[in-house]
Every structure is written in C-alpha cells, then in structure tokens.
Amino acid sequence: MSLDSKTPPGPLAEKWTRYRGTMNLVAPNNKRRIDIIVVGTGLAGASAAATLGELGYNVKCFTFHDSPRRAHSIAAQGGINAAKNYANDGDSVYRLFYDTIKGGDYRSRESNVYRLAEVSRNIIDQAVAQGVPFARDYGGLLDNRSFGGVQVSRTFYARGQTGQQLLLGAYQALSRQIALGTVEMYNRHEMLDLVLVDGKARGIIARNLVTGKLERFAAHCVVLGTGGYSNVFYLSTNAMMCNVTAAWRAVRRGAYMANPCFTQIHPTCIPQSGDYQSKLTLMSESLRNDGRVWVPKKKEDAKAIREGQKTGRDIAEEDRDYFLERRYPAFGNLVPRDVASRASKTACDEGLGVAPTGLAVFLDFTAAIERYGKSKAHSMGMHDPSPEKIRELGEAVISEKYGNLFEMYEKITGENPYKMPMKIYPAVHYTMGGLWVDYNLETNIPGLFATGECNFSDHGANRLGASALMQGLADGYFVLPYTIGQFLSNEIRTPKFSPDAKEFVEAENQTRERLEGMINIKGSQSVESFHRRLGKIMWEYCGMARNADGLQKARKMIRELREEFYKDVFIPGSTEEYNPELEKAQRVADFLEMGELMVLDALNRNESCGGHFREEYQSEEGEAQRNDADYAFVSAWEYKGWEAEPVLHKEELVFENIELKTRSYK
Amino acid sequence: MKLTLKIWRQKSLKEKGRFETYKVEANPHMSFLEMLDVLNEELIAKKEEPVVFEHDCREGICGTCSMVINGEPHGPMGGTTACQLHMRHFKDGETIVIEPFRASAFPVMKDLAVDRSALDRIIQAGGYISVSTGAAQDANAVPIDKDTAGHSFDAAACIGCGACVAACPNASAMLFVSAKVSHLALLPQGKVEAKRRAQAMVKQMDLEGFGMCSNITACEAECPKGISVENIARLNREYLSSALGSETVA
Amino acid sequence: MSWFSDFLTSSIGRKVVMSLTGLFLILFLLVHLAGNLQLLPFLAHDPAGDPGKAFNLYSKFMTSNPLIKTVSYLLYASILIHAIQGWLLWSKNRKARGNQGYAVKVNKVVGTNSFAASNMGWLGTIIFIFLAIHMYQFWLQMKLGHLPMAYYDGVEVKNLYSIVAEAYESLGYVIFYVVSMVVIAYHLNHGFQSAFQTLGINHHKYTPFIKWVGKAYSILVPLGFAIIPIYMYFFM
C-alpha cells in the first residue's frame, strides 16, 4: 500500500499559501464544541495547545512532568534557524529549504520542508513578541550566528539557552490559556494508551503519576507532541524521562512508525567517564564555530595522552591532525553533524582517541582565543600587547560567547577548558524518525496528529543544527492549528465523546493488565539494568555505523532481552501509588519493542544516508553512499503483533524542485 | 569513596516522614544523582523501595531536581543544580544529609519529591505577555538596547526549581516572582502590561501561602542560576507604582 | 479605599509599611542621639558647673514645642506599627516555612549580615522589651512622674538629668543598656539597607553607597548611645 502524503498541488513556493487559503475552517461557535487532547508540553505540544486554545477549541493538555515548563526542549542550547536574511548574506526561504533537504540527505518531503522554511520567519516574530530575550547587537537589532552545515548566518540565539527561552515563551502562552480556561492542564499524567472509536483517535488512557490511578479522557482528536526516542540508547543527551511510549502506544493501535533508523549522533558531547553514567551532556554545536577539532597524528602521542603522561598542550602543532579541516576544506569544522561524528569515530577507531576510554577527540579554542584577543587588543588601541594580555582578552571574548558552556564543561569534567582543550565525543541526540504524518501532520489513524520530534516529516536522514526548535514551533504555532481544521471541520456534528464508552473502558483494562502483569513478575533484575543492556546493544550495532551482520545479531539479542525482561524484571511498590520505577519499567518495555523496529529498518535500508551509515555502503574514502534509485522513500512500518513481522509501507519521495546530488562538504 | 547518607523518607503526603541512614560507595566523577542511582539500584537489589527524587534533564536547565543537601538547596556548590553537582566536591567518609525542599506551599509527596505547582499558578496569574499566535509584528520592528535585553535575559534564566523558596527562612517566592516580572517588564513588549502583571502575580503568590520577603538574600545565595535580588527591588518598584500609581481601582 | 487596604495587606505592602516606619525610626535615633550627647560634659559644657543644664533644657524643648509634639505622635505610632506589623510578618513567615524544619541549617546570604538578616524578629523583640523599660523609666517619668525640678534663669524645668544620672550609677543597668545597643546595631545593620531594597531602591551605582552608610550608621549610632552610660559610670 502506498501512503498518501496529501501534498497540495501547485508550485512549491505557493503550495502552503494556497492550501491555507482554501482549506476548511471550523466556525468559532463550533470550535467551542470541539475537544482536543494534546499530549506533551515541549515546544511542539505547548505551542499547539496554546494556539488551539487561542482559537477557541477546548484543549486538554497532558504532561508527565510536574510542570509544563520542564519538557526537554528546554535543554536545546544553540539556536533556532529562520530565513530572515537579517545578516544580508544571501539567505532566503529557498536556501533554508535547500539546505534542510540537502542536510537531510534527500530523505524528506519537499513540500513539508518548504513550508517549514516559510513559516520559520513567523516563529521569530512570535517569539520576540512573547518576550524571548534573543541576543542583540548594539543597535538593538537581533543578532545571528552561523551553525553547522550551512554557509549563512541565520541562527537566532539566546546565549546558550535558546531552547529554554523559547520553551518558556510557549509555556507562558500556554499558562495564559490555562488561566483563561481554554486549556485544561493535567500535570503528572502520562499517556499509556490511545483510544480509537470506529477507527478514529478519540481519546487516551493516562496514568495519574501521583495516585497511580488510570484515568480516561475523550476528545474529538488527539495531538502527540511527545518528542523523540533517543533514550532507546540508554545513554543519550535526552532527559532521563524522555521516552517513546506515547508514540509507540499509537503504533500498537495502528499508526505507522516512519524511518525509525534515522537517529542523529551529535558530534560535540562530553565523553562518557564511567559505567555509572546515567546520561550524556551536549556541548552546543556553536562551539564548532570557534573550536578546532583534532587528534594527535601519532598513535604514541594519543596513547601517552590516554595514560595521562601527556596533555593536549604538549603536542606540537605539526603533530596535530585537524581532521575535519583536512578532509572537508570547504566546511572545515562546520560540516553537518553526521559527517563530523563519523569522522571522530574513524579517528578513535584508528587508535587516536584522547580519553582514557579511547573515545574522545579534542576541541581546541587556542586559535580562537588568540584571534579574538588580538582583535580586541587592536580595538582597545594596544599596539604591542603581550601574549598573556592577548590570551586574557581572548578568553574574555570566548567567555562572553560560550561562558555557560565552558562552565558546564568544567563542572562535569573538573577540567578548565580555557587552559586545556575540551574533550568531546559523539552521542545520540535526536531522532529524525517518528510517527508517519501527511502534509496535515495527521498520522494514518484519522484524528491522530503528531508534531515536533514525535513525527518524521522534516529532517530526512539528518537534522541540521538549530532546526529542531524551528520545526517544533512551526508545527505547533503555524501548521497544526490550521491543518487540524481539515479533520475537525468534518466533526462539527459529532457529539462529545464519553470516556465511559466501552472502547475507553476496554483500553483502560488492557493498560491495567499490562502494568499489573509487569509489577507481578517480581523477578530479580532492575529496570535500569535492562535499559542499560538494551542501550549497549543499540549503540554497538545500530549506532554511528551499522552492518547487516551486526543488525541481525542485534535483533536477536533484543528479542532475547525482551523475553528476559518479562520473566525477570523486578519492580518495587504497587501500581496504585507514586512509583517512578513502574513508570520507567513501562517505558523500557516500549523501548524494547521500538529498538527492534529500529534495527529492522536499518537492516532494510541498504544504503548510507545521513545518520544512517551502513558500512557496506561507503566510498573508498569512507564517505556515505546513498542509493537514490532504490531507497528514495520513507519507510513506514505497521506493527502486526508481538511475534509477527512488521509490514513495510513506502512513501516514494518525489523531488520536483531539487536535484538529488551526492552530499559533499569538501 | 565511602559515604553515609541520611535521607528523608516519607511514604506519602499524609504520612509522617523520618530520616533513614544508608551507606553507599561512590566514584568522585559521579554526579550527585548518579550516586543516588547507585543507592537505589542497591535498594532494589535488596527488594526495598528506592528513594524517590525528582530529576530529568541532568544538565542543570529543567529545574526538576529539588533536594536540600547538607542544609543547602542543590548542595554546597554555588550556581549549581543538584544534578550538576559532582561527588568530587565531597570527602571520603563524609555523612551527607538529604532533605526535601521545605515550605508550606511545597507539600512533600514522597521522600524527596515535593509539589511545586504553586509556581505554575503564579505564572498563570500573569507571568506572560498577552499576545496570540500570528499577531506579532516583524521581530526587528522594535529595537531593544543590548544591555537591557541582557538584564532581561539574566532574569529569564530562572529555571523555576524553587530553591529560592526552599532557602528562604520565610519561604518567600519573591525571587521567583521578581525574576519573571523583571524578565518581561524590561522588554518593550512586556512593559505594556507590566503593572497588571505585578499586581496579579503578587496576589497569587500571597494566596499560595508563601512567606514575605525580609531581604535576607539567602535566595540569591542558593539560586543555581544566580538570579539577583535586584529583581526583587524591581518587583517592589513595579508593584508600588502599579498599586499606588495606576488609575485602575481594583 | 479597598484598593488601599488591599495594598497595605499585600505581602509587599506590609513590607513597605515596615520599611517606612523603620526609616522614620532610624531618623529619630539620630535626633535622639543628638539630645543624649548633651549628657556628656565635654560636649555640653556649662560654665556654671551644672552638668544637667543642657540636657534638661533640651528635654523641656522637646516636650513643649508643638511641632515636635506632633511629630512625637507619629513616632509612637511608628513604633507600634513597626512592632505589630513585624510580629505579624514573623508569625506569617513561620507559618509559610511550615512545621518541619531542616535538620541541617546553613545561612548563606549575599551582601548583608546573615545573623541579623535571619533574626530580625528576635532582635526586634529584644529591642521592644528594651524600649518598654526605657520608656517607662524616662519617658513616662518625664510625662507623669514626680521629677525633682531644676531652675535655669528663673524657668522651672523638670530635672530629667537627675534620674538618668541615677540610673547610670548601676552597673547592671549600664550592661543592660549597652547590650541593647548591640542588639539595635544588628537590627539596624540589616534594617537600614533592607528598607531601601523594599522600597525598590537598588541600583548598581548607588546601592553600595547605601550599604556603606547603613553599616557606618548601624555601628556609629548605637556606639554613640552606648558611650554615654559607660562614660558617666566610670568618669562622673
């Protein structure tokens, strides 16, 4: 079965405007009669809930956090892209569209990406009006910087806390609607199932995390903004509670999961320090604007550094290999994330890693400190500054730009990054895959919508830096509130649904049985231990580089692990109380299913593209080899049951406006 | 490193709590929460109930983690959340006392987890700019002085963790409220409804049962984001000028 | 007037009342000290050799000038309001803090005296007790008591000096007085700058100056008061 993307007709640049102008509307008096459930309060969820509330719908909004403000969008550091061309460097909607499609290695839908680029400009306007304190220059206008993988400065930022500020903007907009009564907020409620009535999404089963009780909620449609599934790898830069459960429960009810193997490995994270580690911390990609990535040229130097006999400082300039600058002279340290990550992995695989684990490369600011120091001294009228003075001035400039990141690095590692080069290593960061959605952001289940990282739509096989915030907010503020009308305009005669209908009671009972089944296993191993083991399998066989043998092995291992989980997991406490271990258990149970699907998808995709690198498909220089003839499609997987093989549905990607090229950053 | 932990255990909101003592072996490179993870894994292995503590991003930005370590919210390191605190700052053999944030407005739900929804309700009372989606003008239409934008950002950096309330001998939420009032009042976009906002937020703050500020400044000393009490002075100014200076009688 | 009572009963309104009454009392202390210093013979020398003349004349002026009399009612009101409001704040804040205290107590603060800042209630209570004794002993006697009379240039003046001098002959009283001054010093140390902060006066350029003045004031004024009984006890 081929999937209908419902892309509207017309020239690319006019599709969205035309569509928006002709799509069905819901009259204000009818909006009041329509209920919408929004799950998740990150950028996508909070902005959608707030905007739908503003429009007059009755919104019920859910988060498993104690407050909507805690969602993990808050941790995004670097910035948000927008085709404003304030920097006058040749940016345009088309260029942002082009960069995003190319950055995504030609595995995303043209129409969606163009729309994203178009509305990116409105997001900045909206955020500024909400009081987001973006960086400004002395004239009082907004400042921009460039970000990995592009050659224009289109990234708006708020120090290293752009995600936090944008999320607070959305949270405040949501809070306003809560106060006005258009949005009813349910904190500490986790969605555990999707309820379908006559094949349409009409509600959810949520667990009240404080009392442990299951509660039923009905509405005319359901919107998921529940984020990505990076935590399937256990160690990732995601927050501890990020999970796939809401999306996976939808998959179990028939929604298709698209491109699950497209996961992004971010090149600049703080390397793992030990087995006890619970998560990895990202250092913003913006650091690559000024930092130079290198490893020693000689293995013996690398070995000496690993053993603590030498430091990065002791390696002479000519003995350093600035491998990104060497391999990719056009983009240098600013190559896209997948390319940079893989290059670091290659260097470490060759035995040139610089951390005791062998898994780290240097990110060095010496040159930038010197450059900034000299220019600062010049602007201060110093003609012959001493090297110490230059360093001091340069460090001050660096501190102004990245102070909070440097501080965070020092807190975690105990090393001063102004004096010693930073050590970094790639880590799982974002998942491009997600629920399959059409142009309206509607999944194949009518009435079920997915926004933000939860859907698959805009980033193809690799996301560009500063584009996640853009997509989450584009979906929530400017796309879904319009497109949801296409579904809801046919529902104005549908009376409100009762959460006591048999479909709801049934779903609640199934959820209860599932939870009680898990807690009654009373085995001997902790949930955490299973999660760690799953993460290791995923990282080893389905991480930065994959091959068919490994993936087959991984699939078997995951299945065995899953069986072991259901035989031997131990969950303390009971279901009817505040029980974080139970919450974790049910999330890990879903990861154990999702992980297998990722492996299967990776196995099925016999090409290397973006974040998906199959070792069998690489050039002699080790660059990824895409196969456009056979794999220019979205793989959307239909779940068929515990033991059955999932069924693959393909959405062929049609590129009418862009020529597919080999992605080169050389 | 070997540590002795004295941790507040409380089954639920209604039940009484008490301190329990645990021994744990930690690595100096661990974060404080990873040390608690180790303890919890050991408790689970013994089929005992693990210690409930709230946490999420573990990179110091979400504001979820909330515990008082040796008498200080988020522990002894300045400008650091509990999740970013590392064990290298403790001594081998040390006894560490871990308590929940305490304030009447933050009831303990279980062990170290407290209910901070009062802070959400204060934001709902007026901690926003009333602009609906789509109504905004071009982002560069109103220039904002770089320094002013910077001060606004300093206040906006608040992560809403509630450490200020936990640290304040009066359990006052003035630093939290003043940070939001300052963040928005400093920007031209937020200035428009600054008076109404200050009134509404302070009213809600009082309703929630937080204490009154007596300028002790423990809040700033313990704030993981270094939010300054200058914001409290600004809130006082905003409140005074709106209570006494605005024409609205209500 | 509901908006005004709303303001006065809001948390910030209550603090503003504390701040304004506090500042008025701070100002009064200076006036009071100026008068008291006339107890010291080297500051108010009488060629005729009467050590109490300057002080007694000053007391007479303070109790008879109509303007000062008016201001004095403001002063009594300020003391009462400051005390009652302070007590209300204290009890409300204790309620906000809750019954369960911290097992480990740490007082970390920024730019103020942590002991003073977190004990304003206790310090204020001690000061209130001191004031009660102090006013009974001198103020009430001046108003209602049967004081010996002194005559200066044919004018009859109550000889307040005599009972002051008598009180300062007791070592116990001098110690009580000096200790009370230390308590006032702490109360002022926090209260002075806190009053400005409550009124919203906090500025990068001027606040350091306010804090400096506050510190100097909180040391010098109580010191000035304390020197008098010490000097009189040992040297007169």
Side-chain angles (χ1 to χ4, degrees):
Chain A
M1 181 190 127
S2 78
L3 291 160
D4 179 9
S5 68
K6 295 192 184 148
T7 300
L12 184 67
E14 288 164 34
K15 276 185 202 290
W16 176 236
T17 314
R18 263 196 218 175
Y19 186 60
R20 213 176 42 181
T22 53
M23 71 173 74
N24 299 328
L25 297 173
V26 179
N29 58 327
N30 287 327
K31 281 187 181 133
R32 283 196 291 274
R33 293 208 292 260
I34 287 179
D35 296 328
I36 301 176
I37 284 174
V38 178
V39 186
T41 59
L43 286 181
S47 59
T51 308
L52 293 169
E54 286 161 11
L55 289 173
Y57 293 108
N58 294 312
V59 181
K60 291 189 179 77
C61 189
F62 295 81
T63 174
F64 57 68
H65 284 108
D66 69 314
S67 159
R69 68 182 293 157
R70 312 262 186 239
H72 197 57
S73 307
I74 206 155
Q77 298 167 348
I80 175 165
N81 288 330
K84 282 284 198 185
N85 194 27
Y86 284 159
N88 193 30
D89 54 3
D91 197 12
S92 65
V93 169
Y94 184 83
R95 196 179 288 277
L96 175 54
F97 155 75
Y98 179 83
D99 285 346
T100 307
I101 290 268
K102 178 189 169 198
D105 226 354
Y106 307 95
R107 290 294 175 266
S108 36
R109 200 186 282 149
E110 271 190 348
S111 54
N112 282 52
V113 177
Y114 195 89
R115 176 177 65 188
L116 174 68
E118 246 182 302
V119 302
S120 69
R121 299 170 302 184
N122 305 63
I123 298 170
I124 303 301
D125 300 342
Q126 182 64 24
V128 167
Q130 286 171 344
V132 172
F134 283 123
R136 289 175 182 271
D137 58 29
Y138 284 108
L141 301 180
L142 293 161
D143 193 21
N144 292 117
R145 61 184 174 197
S146 74
F147 234 63
V150 297
Q151 289 166 316
V152 291
S153 287
R154 64 160 75 99
T155 305
F156 294 78
Y157 65 102
R159 294 194 195 151
Q161 286 132 272
T162 318
Q164 179 197 26
Q165 294 308 319
L166 289 169
L167 182 64
L168 291 181
Y171 161 71
Q172 285 164 204
L174 175 63
S175 295
R176 175 168 161 246
Q177 295 307 309
I178 296 170
L180 290 171
T182 59
V183 176
E184 207 173 330
M185 187 68 223
Y186 294 86
N187 293 341
R188 297 187 192 269
H189 275 69
E190 180 161 24
M191 169 182 163
L192 293 186
D193 208 351
L194 178 74
V195 183
L196 305 189
V197 179
D198 299 330
K200 291 180 183 172
R202 299 298 194 188
I204 63 167
I205 305 298
R207 183 165 174 266
N208 179 329
L209 300 184
V210 180
T211 62
K213 293 214 162 47
L214 295 177
E215 296 171 12
R216 306 184 291 265
F217 298 94
H220 289 81
C221 67
V222 176
V223 179
L224 301 185
T226 51
Y229 48 87
S230 294
N231 269 351
V232 72
F233 290 89
Y234 185 74
L235 283 181
S236 81
T237 67
N238 277 194
M240 302 300 286
M241 297 204 279
C242 290
N243 68 78
V244 75
T245 290
W248 189 253
R249 289 292 126 194
V251 171
R252 299 270 305 220
R253 293 282 176 194
Y256 297 167
M257 179 59 79
N259 296 338
C261 80
F262 288 164
T263 49
Q264 182 164 77
I265 317 279
H266 195 291
T268 51
C269 299
I270 300 179
Q272 192 182 350
S273 69
D275 291 332
Y276 47 79
Q277 193 128 356
S278 59
K279 76 154 274 160
L280 295 168
T281 302
L282 177 82
M283 294 274 103
S284 166
E285 183 162 31
S286 60
L287 291 173
R288 285 199 280 143
N289 283 335
D290 284 313
R292 299 176 72 195
V293 178
W294 65 276
V295 289
K297 276 184 185 158
K298 297 179 201 150
K299 279 188 189 169
E300 55 271 26
D301 281 344
K303 187 162 175 276
I305 293 172
R306 286 200 291 274
E307 288 168 358
Q309 288 146 3
K310 280 188 183 176
T311 70
R313 275 283 126 89
D314 303 325
I315 310 299
E317 197 59 33
E318 62 271 17
D319 291 330
R320 300 177 177 192
D321 178 14
Y322 294 93
F323 55 87
L324 290 179
E325 294 169 28
R326 173 174 56 80
R327 288 176 63 177
Y328 309 101
F331 280 69
N333 293 298
L334 292 174
V335 290
R337 294 174 173 177
D338 54 338
V339 179
S341 293
R342 233 164 14 244
S344 298
K345 181 183 188 301
T346 309
C348 292
D349 288 350
E350 285 167 6
L352 297 168
V354 294
T357 55
L359 299 176
V361 300
F362 285 127
L363 180 64
D364 199 332
F365 291 85
T366 314
I369 287 173
E370 201 160 305
R371 189 174 75 240
Y372 285 126
K374 273 188 187 151
S375 116
K376 185 84 193 177
H378 183 78
S379 73
M380 289 165 76
M382 290 183 209
H383 293 300
D384 197 15
S386 65
E388 292 76 35
K389 190 73 200 169
I390 290 177
R391 241 200 114 69
E392 185 195 317
L393 293 171
E395 282 180 7
V397 175
I398 290 286
S399 157
E400 199 179 301
K401 292 181 104 161
Y402 312 110
N404 63 323
L405 297 170
F406 276 49
E407 224 174 82
M408 182 150 87
Y409 181 87
E410 188 168 358
K411 262 180 206 159
I412 293 173
T413 63
E415 264 184 26
N416 179 350
Y418 292 100
K419 307 294 173 208
M420 283 295 181
M422 274 185 187
K423 285 175 196 154
I424 53 160
Y425 197 68
V428 183
H429 173 59
Y430 186 89
T431 52
M432 281 73 69
L435 292 176
W436 183 88
V437 291
D438 62 17
Y439 191 72
N440 293 330
L441 303 183
E442 190 174 11
T443 66
N444 56 304
I445 297 179
L448 178 67
F449 295 79
T451 59
E453 192 180 351
C454 182
N455 72 31
F456 86 103
S457 68
D458 297 348
H459 304 298
N462 174 55
R463 179 175 64 75
L464 287 177
S467 284
L469 300 182
M470 172 172 71
Q471 187 223 340
L473 290 179
D475 287 358
Y477 284 133
F478 296 108
V479 178
L480 180 89
Y482 291 107
T483 59
I484 204 168
Q486 288 291 70
F487 174 80
L488 289 176
S489 55
N490 292 320
E491 297 285 337
I492 51 173
R493 281 181 196 83
T494 314
K496 280 186 188 270
F497 288 87
S498 161
D500 298 327
K502 71 171 191 319
E503 290 88 349
F504 287 85
V505 176
E506 219 168 82
E508 185 194 330
N509 288 339
Q510 285 167 357
T511 308
R512 180 171 299 110
E513 277 163 31
R514 189 157 54 91
L515 294 182
E516 279 171 0
M518 261 185 246
I519 210 161
N520 288 331
I521 295 169
K522 300 242 177 276
S524 63
Q525 299 179 61
S526 71
V527 176
E528 199 78 5
S529 66
F530 282 103
H531 196 182
R532 273 180 205 271
R533 283 163 68 191
L534 172 66
K536 275 209 175 115
I537 299 171
M538 295 304 294
W539 180 243
E540 191 157 336
Y541 300 106
C542 196
M544 264 191 286
R546 303 145 179 195
N547 62 55
D549 286 348
L551 288 166
Q552 266 149 359
K553 199 171 149 196
R555 191 168 183 205
K556 196 164 154 274
M557 287 169 82
I558 295 169
R559 288 191 159 210
E560 284 164 7
L561 187 65
R562 200 162 64 205
E563 259 172 51
E564 196 181 329
F565 177 88
Y566 282 100
K567 275 191 196 127
D568 199 31
V569 72
F570 172 72
I571 306 165
S574 70
T575 53
E576 301 242 317
E577 64 169 331
Y578 185 9
N579 189 348
E581 280 298 309
L582 177 66
E583 295 165 26
K584 213 157 58 177
Q586 136 260 309
R587 291 171 197 157
V588 170
D590 289 339
F591 278 138
L592 282 164
E593 294 176 21
M594 176 68 184
E596 188 190 345
L597 187 65
M598 290 167 68
V599 168
L600 186 64
D601 187 43
L603 197 55
N604 185 70
R605 191 167 278 278
N606 291 314
E607 62 164 349
S608 293
C609 67
H612 169 65
F613 187 78
R614 282 280 299 270
E615 286 165 349
E616 302 96 314
Y617 308 101
Q618 56 179 313
S619 70
E620 278 171 18
E621 293 160 304
E623 302 297 336
Q625 270 180 339
R626 224 173 50 222
N627 178 351
D628 293 329
D630 301 321
Y631 289 95
F633 63 76
V634 174
S635 39
W637 296 92
E638 183 184 358
Y639 182 81
K640 282 288 188 187
W642 186 256
E643 286 300 322
E645 281 292 299
V647 175
L648 174 65
H649 302 275
K650 293 180 186 174
E651 181 200 335
E652 296 296 336
L653 290 168
V654 186
F655 294 92
E656 291 170 337
N657 301 277
I658 221 166
E659 186 193 342
L660 273 65
K661 288 187 193 152
T662 302
R663 208 158 53 116
S664 170
Y665 294 91
K666 286 190 185 287
Chain B
M1 54 201 296
K2 287 188 168 57
L3 299 164
T4 305
L5 304 176
K6 286 177 80 176
I7 304 178
W8 183 263
R9 301 301 307 263
Q10 183 171 335
K11 189 93 178 119
S12 70
L13 187 67
K14 290 182 188 97
E15 279 166 76
K16 280 205 157 164
R18 66 198 152 89
F19 281 100
E20 296 275 0
T21 306
Y22 303 94
K23 301 259 180 215
V24 71
E25 182 123 22
N27 175 312
H29 293 298
M30 280 179 179
S31 72
F32 196 84
L33 301 190
E34 283 166 351
M35 182 274 293
L36 288 179
D37 289 342
V38 170
L39 171 71
N40 276 349
E41 283 297 289
E42 284 169 11
L43 289 174
I44 292 169
K46 287 190 274 182
K47 312 248 153 157
E48 287 175 31
E49 288 238 5
V51 179
V52 173
F53 60 95
E54 292 204 276
H55 63 98
D56 196 27
C57 78
R58 298 208 176 184
E59 39 189 283
I61 194 77
C62 73
T64 309
C65 57
S66 50
M67 55 182 81
V68 172
I69 303 165
N70 285 342
E72 290 185 67
H74 296 298
M77 292 285 289
T80 307
T81 53
C83 64
Q84 291 283 74
L85 176 66
H86 280 67
M87 296 313 292
R88 64 178 80 93
H89 302 296
F90 293 87
K91 289 191 281 294
D92 190 20
E94 195 172 334
T95 298
I96 304 174
V97 182
I98 310 170
E99 306 170 72
F101 279 7
R102 297 213 184 270
S104 296
F106 288 172
V108 175
M109 300 195 315
K110 189 168 186 178
D111 297 345
L112 302 173
V114 299
D115 179 3
R116 287 168 286 180
S117 51
L119 299 182
D120 275 338
R121 289 189 292 273
I122 294 176
I123 297 293
Q124 285 156 18
Y128 46 74
I129 292 174
S130 299
V131 53
S132 292
T133 305
Q137 58 186 338
D138 185 82
N140 258 348
V142 183
I144 304 173
D145 160 57
K146 186 178 165 76
D147 288 340
T148 308
H151 287 142
S152 171
F153 188 99
D154 291 340
C158 168
I159 56 173
C161 65
C164 44
V165 177
C168 177
N170 306 339
S172 164
M174 282 286 274
L175 193 66
F176 170 81
V177 176
S178 71
K180 188 47 67 194
V181 164
S182 291
H183 158 211
L184 298 175
L186 282 166
L187 299 170
Q189 291 83 357
K191 189 78 204 156
V192 181
E193 53 187 325
K195 288 196 161 79
R196 203 187 64 83
R197 178 182 307 120
Q199 288 286 311
M201 289 181 77
V202 168
K203 193 170 177 194
Q204 187 65 34
M205 172 183 81
D206 291 352
L207 275 176
E208 297 288 349
F210 290 104
M212 282 167 266
C213 176
S214 55
N215 304 320
I216 297 170
T217 68
C219 52
E220 180 181 331
E222 300 292 358
C223 173
K225 296 293 151 185
I227 310 282
S228 164
V229 293
E230 282 169 27
N231 293 304
I232 295 184
R234 187 177 293 107
L235 168 59
N236 290 338
R237 284 202 293 281
E238 291 286 337
Y239 188 79
L240 276 172
S241 80
S242 77
L244 306 179
S246 88
E247 296 251 8
T248 319
V249 181
Chain C
M1 284 299 270
S2 83
W3 67 268
F4 193 65
S5 65
D6 280 355
F7 166 68
L8 284 182
T9 52
S10 72
S11 58
I12 294 180
R14 285 176 194 276
K15 287 293 303 172
V16 167
V17 169
M18 287 302 279
S19 161
L20 291 176
T21 50
L23 283 173
F24 183 68
L25 294 174
I26 284 172
L27 207 62
F28 163 72
L29 277 185
L30 205 60
V31 178
H32 190 351
L33 179 65
N36 279 19
L37 286 176
Q38 298 181 48
L39 288 164
L40 295 174
F42 53 86
L43 286 178
H45 182 66
D46 180 41
D50 180 351
K53 183 178 174 190
F55 184 70
N56 283 337
L57 283 175
Y58 165 77
S59 311
K60 166 83 182 166
F61 171 74
M62 291 303 274
T63 44
S64 53
N65 182 300
L67 182 68
I68 292 189
K69 267 181 130 166
T70 320
V71 174
S72 73
Y73 289 113
L74 202 59
L75 174 69
Y76 308 144
S78 281
I79 293 174
L80 279 178
I81 293 171
H82 196 80
I84 293 168
Q85 188 70 277
W87 182 82
L88 275 173
L89 280 171
W90 198 20
S91 72
K92 277 178 185 289
N93 285 345
R94 283 171 77 105
K95 203 170 145 228
R97 184 100 291 283
N99 298 324
Q100 184 71 47
Y102 289 116
V104 182
K105 285 196 178 63
V106 174
N107 290 328
K108 232 190 228 175
V109 298
V110 182
T112 184
N113 181 308
S114 73
F115 171 78
S118 39
N119 289 295
M120 288 299 272
W122 287 114
L123 295 168
T125 308
I126 297 172
I127 294 169
F128 190 74
I129 294 167
F130 166 77
L131 270 185
I133 296 172
H134 186 72
M135 288 182 77
Y136 168 78
Q137 205 169 10
F138 301 125
W139 176 81
L140 202 67
Q141 301 308 321
M142 184 74 182
K143 291 273 169 187
L144 307 171
H146 300 288
L147 291 183
M149 302 308 264
Y151 298 90
Y152 302 113
D153 305 327
V155 183
E156 190 184 38
V157 174
K158 285 180 180 169
N159 193 349
L160 184 63
Y161 178 83
S162 63
I163 59 165
V164 173
E166 194 187 317
Y168 290 173
E169 276 167 21
S170 144
L171 179 64
Y173 186 81
V174 171
I175 290 173
F176 166 67
Y177 191 93
V178 171
V179 168
S180 298
M181 288 309 114
V182 173
V183 171
I184 287 181
Y186 271 99
H187 198 79
L188 282 178
N189 190 311
H190 177 69
F192 192 100
Q193 45 112 349
S194 176
F196 287 90
Q197 166 83 1
T198 297
L199 294 178
I201 301 168
N202 187 328
H203 191 280
H204 267 296
K205 284 180 179 157
Y206 309 115
T207 294
F209 176 69
I210 292 174
K211 286 192 176 174
W212 182 83
V213 171
K215 222 167 239 172
Y217 192 96
S218 70
I219 295 168
L220 293 179
V221 171
L223 189 70
F225 277 109
I227 280 173
I228 298 164
I230 294 173
Y231 182 86
M232 287 175 73
Y233 180 78
F234 284 108
F235 302 108
M236 286 176 74

